[in-house]
Amino acid sequence: MNFTDQDFEAKVLKSELPVLVDFFAEWCGPCKMMAPVIEELAEELQDKIKVGKMNIDDNPATAGKYGVMSIPTLILFKKGEVVKTLIGFRSKEEILKEILN
Amino acid sequence: MYDTIIIGTGPAGLTASIYASRYKLANLVIGKIPGGTIVYAHKVENYPGLPGIAGAELGQKMMGQAKGLGAEILAENVTEVRKDQEVFNIKTESGKEFQARSLIAALGTERRKLGVPGEKEYLGRGVSYCVTCDGPFFRNKTVVLVGGSNAACSGAVHLSEYIGKLYLVYRKDELRGDPIWIEEIKENPKIEVIYKTNVTEILGDGAKVTGVKLDVSHDGTTDLETDGVFIEIGGVPASSFLAPLGIELDENGYVKVDEEMRTNIAGLFAAGDFTTKGLILQQTITACGQGAIAASSAFKYLKSK
C-alpha cells in the first residue's frame, strides 16, 4: 500500500484502524532493506493495523509536516494522531514489539 | 540440527554461507540487517569486479546468491548462544531456538556514539549516523561531520552534493581516509576541515539541532551553528553477547581468531569486522575472504568429527 500527500488524510488520518507509515526514498539503502520487512508486516497485521509506504521525494508535504528528517522512519497513527515514531532500520520483531504495546 | 549456523547477514556471514552451501553443509543464517554494514555505503568503488556499485545493491546481490544456493535466512537478532557438549544452542529475539554442530559468528560492528549531551535527544532530528540515508534532508543547509576515516571522508564528499556548507571536525591533525578522498575534500569549496577538535555537545531548540559546542575555538568561538550532525567515528564490535561462552576477546572487544578464523572455542569460528583479523583492514573484500575461510574451517572441523 502506498500513500501520497493527496490521499494521506483520507487513508491514514481518517482510518478506523491504526496505520503504520514507512517513510522512504529510492536513494536510501537501508530503506530498500526495510521493504521486505514492511511487506511481511502488512501481511501479518492485515486486520489489526494498516501498513503502507510513503516516498518522501514524491510527497514532501507530509514528510515535512511530521518532521521526518531521517529515513527510514516509521510512524504509527491512531485516529489521526502520532502514537509512535521509530527511526532507523529495525527488524520485524523489533517493530512488532514496539507497535503492539 | 544444522551443520552450521551463521550469525550475521553481512558480507562475511553471507560469503560463509555461500561456501558452506557448496560444501553441502546445511546452514541457517541469522542477522538483522540484510547485507550488513555495507548497505549504508552510498557507492563502493573498491570492490573488485563491481566498481561504483551502490552498497545496498552489493548487499542485495550477496543475499540473493546465498539464498539461491539453499541457505535459510532469518532476519532477526540473536539474543543467546550456549554450547552444550558438542552442540550450539541459539535463541532469537522472537523466542525461536535452533541447534547446530558448528557456529560462524560474523556480527560486525555497531556505530560508535560520540557520547555527548544532545546526541540521543536529537537522533533523527539532526543527528545521524548514516550519510546516505539522511544527507538529502540537508539540501543547501550547514552540517557538521565528525570523523576522519574513509567512511567520514567519503561521506563528506557525498554530502557535499547536497549541503550548503560542511565542517569536517576531526580530533587528529591529519585526515586518514584514502588519499583520493582527501584530495577531493581539500579541493571542495563547500568543505572546511577543522583539525584537533572535538564536539562536546549537540545543541538544539527542542525540535531539532541548531548547533554544536567545540572544545577548541574556531573563528573566535566554541559554538558552531549547524542544522545537522553526522557522526562517522567508526564501529564497536558487537561481541558482548558471546561473552557467556568464554570467548577470547582483545581489550577492545574484538573476537580473537587465528589464521583459519578459529576462536578459542571448538566449533566456533568468526569472520569480518568484529574479529581481530578484520582490524587489519575493515573492508567488504576482507570480510568476504574471512567468511570463506571460516566456512572452510567449519567444514574441516565437521569432517574430523
Side-chain angles (χ1 to χ4, degrees):
Chain A
M1 196 180 286
N2 282 302
F3 305 119
T4 64
D5 279 341
Q6 292 72 39
D7 62 24
F8 194 77
E9 195 178 337
K11 282 198 191 164
V12 179
L13 301 177
K14 295 212 166 115
S15 164
E16 280 297 312
L17 289 178
V19 186
L20 183 68
V21 182
D22 167 30
F23 292 90
F24 76 101
E26 288 299 328
W27 35 257
C28 160
C31 298
K32 287 203 171 82
M33 298 301 136
M34 280 287 273
V37 174
I38 296 298
E39 273 175 40
E40 276 183 44
L41 281 172
E43 274 265 337
E44 272 185 48
L45 298 169
Q46 254 181 69
D47 304 313
K48 289 201 283 236
I49 301 177
K50 268 202 317 209
V51 181
K53 292 176 15 207
M54 189 156 205
N55 185 320
I56 58 138
D57 278 335
D58 298 336
N59 305 285
T62 310
K65 179 167 174 210
Y66 292 99
V68 175
M69 275 173 85
S70 177
I71 50 174
T73 284
L74 294 173
I75 301 184
L76 182 65
F77 291 87
K78 229 189 232 174
K79 303 260 188 271
E81 298 287 318
V82 171
V83 288
K84 199 123 213 190
T85 304
L86 299 174
I87 294 172
F89 181 92
R90 308 281 179 124
S91 69
K92 189 178 77 173
E93 291 303 323
E94 285 173 344
I95 299 171
L96 281 172
K97 216 187 286 185
E98 290 280 349
I99 64 177
L100 290 179
N101 267 342
Chain B
M1 172 81 73
Y2 291 92
D3 290 318
T4 191
I5 287 179
I6 298 163
I7 310 179
T9 45
L14 293 172
T15 304
S17 170
I18 287 165
Y19 274 74
S21 293
R22 290 180 57 79
Y23 282 125
K24 297 273 183 215
L25 301 178
N27 67 96
L28 169 68
V29 196
I30 311 178
K32 175 173 131 175
I33 304 178
T37 305
I38 196 59
V39 159
Y40 292 89
H42 167 61
K43 229 196 287 187
V44 180
E45 296 286 9
N46 52 15
Y47 193 84
L50 298 167
I53 187 170
E57 200 187 330
L58 185 52
Q60 262 169 349
K61 276 185 192 284
M62 292 185 188
M63 285 283 288
Q65 192 170 350
K67 276 192 199 146
L69 282 164
E72 274 178 65
I73 304 189
L74 186 62
E76 285 191 37
N77 286 308
V78 168
T79 50
E80 203 185 298
V81 182
R82 272 182 7 250
K83 191 178 181 199
D84 302 307
Q85 310 265 311
E86 306 263 293
V87 176
F88 290 93
N89 286 286
I90 310 286
K91 210 177 187 172
T92 71
E93 61 186 335
S94 68
K96 297 193 186 78
E97 289 186 40
F98 302 98
Q99 293 183 319
R101 279 185 274 267
S102 65
L103 209 58
I104 299 176
L107 286 112
T109 55
E110 284 153 3
R111 301 291 86 209
R112 185 187 299 276
K113 313 273 185 290
L114 268 176
V116 302
E119 187 179 6
K120 255 199 269 192
E121 293 83 328
Y122 290 105
L123 175 64
R125 299 187 294 150
V127 174
S128 170
Y129 301 86
C130 177
V131 168
T132 54
C133 310
D134 304 332
F137 287 100
F138 298 90
R139 243 173 256 278
N140 304 316
K141 300 210 167 139
T142 301
V143 297
V144 163
L145 197 155
V146 184
S149 63
N150 237 6
C153 292
S154 65
V157 170
H158 174 50
L159 268 178
S160 66
E161 288 172 41
Y162 306 103
I163 50 85
K165 170 96 189 190
L166 186 150
Y167 293 101
L168 186 54
V169 177
Y170 191 37
R171 61 197 171 94
K172 298 200 174 154
D173 57 7
E174 233 180 68
L175 296 173
R176 57 181 184 86
D178 285 347
I180 208 167
W181 291 125
I182 297 179
E183 221 173 67
E184 277 197 55
I185 285 169
K186 298 215 166 123
E187 288 170 7
N188 193 318
K190 290 196 201 175
I191 304 178
E192 187 181 331
V193 188
I194 304 178
Y195 297 96
K196 297 212 275 194
T197 304
N198 293 289
V199 166
T200 57
E201 194 179 336
I202 295 175
L203 310 163
D205 62 7
K208 56 185 181 13
V209 167
T210 53
V212 294
K213 256 197 169 40
L214 305 172
D215 61 356
V216 176
S217 268
H218 175 73
D219 278 353
T221 172
T222 51
D223 280 359
L224 192 57
E225 267 183 48
T226 182
D227 302 300
V229 184
F230 286 86
I231 299 166
E232 283 282 6
I233 52 173
V236 173
S239 57
S240 54
F241 84 115
L242 290 173
L245 282 173
I247 197 165
E248 249 187 273
L249 306 172
D250 77 356
E251 66 270 12
N252 293 311
Y254 288 91
V255 177
K256 284 194 183 170
V257 291
D258 65 9
E259 291 302 308
E260 293 172 59
M261 303 302 126
R262 291 184 294 210
T263 66
N264 61 311
I265 296 167
L268 174 55
F269 307 88
D273 281 359
F274 91 148
T275 66
T276 46
K277 185 79 179 174
L279 272 177
I280 298 172
L281 185 65
Q282 284 183 338
Q283 294 286 287
T284 304
I285 190 66
T286 47
C288 290
Q290 289 155 29
I293 297 173
S296 155
S297 296
F299 176 63
K300 282 190 209 140
Y301 167 79
L302 291 170
K303 249 176 68 166
S304 72
K305 295 237 146 272

